[in-house]
Amino acid sequence: MTLQQLRYVVMVADTGTITEAANRLYISQPSLTNAIHELEKEMGINIFNRSNKGISPSIEGEVFLGYARQVLEQAKVLEDKYKGDDGGKKSFCVSTQHYSFAVNAFVDLIKRYGQDEYDFSIRETQTYEIIDDVARMRSEIGILFMNDFNEKVLNKILRANDLEFHELFVAKPHVFISRKHPLAKNDIITNEELEAYPYLSFEQGEHNSFYFSEEIFSTTERKKNIRVRDRATLFNLLIGLNGYTVCSGVIDEKLNGKDIISVPLADESDMRIGYIVHRKAILSRLGNTYLGALANYLTSGSDGPEDSVKIPQRKLQHRGRFNEMRDDGEPACGDVREKAAEHMRRVKAT
């Protein structure tokens, strides 16, 4: 078994066809087919199922491909360590829920490592796919959130896939609304005040469970629900329909526009936003640098890896009123629960 053979089977799995894989690998189709057959014979398994409809990984092949991706990732770590910038084309992939800071960190990574040749990917996708991408080593890092509601379910799935969650920061929940929304001038908003407005969320496909939601699940019934697939559509609907969505409060005008603001939401549990990685994988230099870039956006200072401190720190325009910090590290807004309770008393009195 060689690294070349592992690259071959991973490329076939990623493209779904021998023809496309051969083209990308710059070898003939017969040579690629023979190399795969030799590997299958040596390993004693059928990595792929073949039919008139094409080629697809078998059940045991999926397991093999997961290990193959890990081996290739570790080979890249070695090449990067000892060859440095001469290690050939750089490649990196991260899968994430729809967070602007994840995109900003990705931009900084490309500015640092985007040389003459590179192949970088960022997948803003559904929660289950994030977990699956990291489990199968399609992505080195996945970014998602946990809270008291989804923690047990997600941790069980992560353990079953040999994944581990690392917390980046704890956020008080906010709502994204239009600057012209009737509630835009509120210091804090309750679920009861939001009942009359459409609730926007990212759909989760066939895994459309409350536990995979990107938004905090609320016991308050929402009468008007709209599900979308991408961030641009969600923000357009926020503005056009006076809708809202629940978020971490971290906002960037360059990505989200100046018409969207973040307002604290009362009576919801904290969001623990973090990243997932494979237990058996060693983060590459690119992976460590990406995490360092995230730290630059989410903390007042960088606690990231050594590589990260060389990335210029840029501040987000707004981190959400409940998530802003004073110079001494304490919340700028004071006791969140006290403010929420005070607001609730005012609402009930009117």
Side-chain angles (χ1 to χ4, degrees):
M1 179 178 63
T2 65
L3 287 176
Q4 192 72 285
Q5 286 175 311
L6 296 182
R7 293 188 182 99
Y8 287 172
V9 294
V10 168
M11 182 61 75
V12 171
D14 289 344
T15 60
T17 68
I18 292 288
T19 301
E20 179 64 21
N23 289 337
R24 294 193 185 186
L25 292 165
Y26 301 104
I27 62 174
S28 67
Q29 292 183 43
S31 297
L32 179 57
T33 300
N34 289 336
I36 294 174
H37 279 306
E38 289 175 6
L39 181 60
E40 288 179 321
K41 183 177 180 181
E42 180 182 353
M43 295 293 103
I45 63 171
N46 289 323
I47 300 173
F48 296 103
N49 292 323
R50 298 154 176 91
S51 67
N52 294 332
K53 296 181 179 180
I55 187 170
S56 61
S58 64
I59 295 177
E60 56 188 356
E62 287 281 10
V63 176
F64 180 87
L65 286 164
Y67 284 110
R69 289 188 175 96
Q70 292 176 44
V71 172
L72 292 174
E73 286 298 325
Q74 301 316 307
K76 288 180 182 178
V77 172
L78 283 174
E79 290 179 350
D80 196 44
K81 180 176 178 62
Y82 293 104
K83 291 184 179 181
D85 291 339
D86 297 325
K89 179 185 289 188
K90 296 288 188 292
S91 62
F92 175 76
C93 184
V94 58
S95 296
T96 175
Q97 292 176 335
H98 298 76
Y99 297 128
S100 59
F101 58 81
V103 178
N104 285 327
F106 189 75
V107 170
D108 283 348
L109 178 69
I110 293 177
K111 286 182 176 179
R112 169 112 189 247
Y113 282 105
Q115 300 153 358
D116 292 337
E117 294 186 16
Y118 58 87
D119 187 0
F120 290 172
S121 300
I122 182 167
R123 284 168 48 81
E124 284 192 332
T125 187
Q126 299 164 346
T127 303
Y128 186 87
E129 289 185 359
I130 294 170
I131 296 171
D132 193 56
D133 283 348
V134 180
R136 298 184 187 280
M137 300 296 285
R138 296 190 186 100
S139 293
E140 186 173 345
I141 294 169
I143 300 173
L144 46 75
F145 94 93
M146 287 190 187
N147 69 346
D148 295 340
F149 177 76
N150 67 10
E151 182 177 28
K152 289 184 179 179
V153 172
L154 289 188
N155 274 329
K156 182 178 180 180
I157 296 172
L158 295 181
R159 286 194 299 269
N161 285 279
D162 272 339
L163 304 177
E164 54 190 17
F165 176 83
H166 298 270
E167 184 178 292
L168 286 168
F169 77 109
V170 178
K172 298 296 181 182
H174 287 62
V175 290
F176 278 173
I177 55 176
S178 164
R179 191 175 295 276
K180 297 180 180 179
H181 193 283
L183 301 175
K185 294 183 179 180
N186 285 28
D187 292 329
I188 190 171
I189 296 175
T190 66
N191 280 305
E192 288 74 16
E193 290 173 301
L194 291 166
E195 285 182 356
Y197 305 102
Y199 171 64
L200 295 156
S201 61
F202 291 105
E203 66 141 20
Q204 298 296 322
E206 61 182 297
H207 300 283
N208 195 29
S209 163
F210 292 128
Y211 299 106
F212 291 117
S213 173
E214 291 189 37
E215 303 79 23
I216 290 179
F217 172 73
S218 174
T219 54
T220 303
E221 182 181 356
R222 296 179 171 113
K223 299 176 181 179
K224 301 176 182 180
N225 293 280
I226 301 174
R227 294 181 176 86
V228 301
R229 289 297 300 267
D230 65 89
R231 196 189 327 169
T233 300
L234 184 140
F235 286 152
N236 286 337
L237 293 174
L238 283 183
I239 297 170
L241 298 175
N242 273 338
Y244 73 96
T245 191
V246 181
C247 61
S248 65
V250 181
I251 190 169
D252 186 349
E253 286 186 358
K254 292 180 180 179
L255 291 176
N256 302 333
K258 297 182 179 181
D259 295 325
I260 303 295
I261 63 171
S262 177
V263 182
L265 176 65
D267 299 332
E268 293 291 359
S269 62
D270 291 346
M271 300 175 68
R272 297 186 293 279
I273 296 174
Y275 65 93
I276 59 172
V277 292
H278 202 286
R279 292 179 185 275
K280 299 178 181 178
I282 301 174
L283 278 180
S284 66
R285 180 179 296 180
L286 294 172
N288 277 307
T289 302
Y290 180 75
L291 292 181
L294 283 177
N296 283 339
Y297 284 104
L298 300 175
T299 62
S300 56
S302 176
D303 295 324
E306 183 179 347
D307 282 343
S308 69
V309 298
K310 301 174 184 177
I311 301 173
Q313 181 173 345
R314 295 185 299 169
K315 293 183 178 179
L316 295 173
Q317 281 79 6
H318 191 47
R319 280 202 51 171
R321 296 173 208 169
F322 274 0
N323 300 319
E324 293 174 349
M325 309 295 284
R326 299 197 307 258
D327 292 338
D328 60 4
E330 293 299 318
C333 65
D335 191 322
V336 172
R337 288 171 297 180
E338 181 180 336
K339 281 186 172 294
E342 179 184 347
H343 178 75
M344 289 291 290
R345 287 194 293 269
R346 289 201 307 266
V347 170
K348 291 178 180 178
T350 58

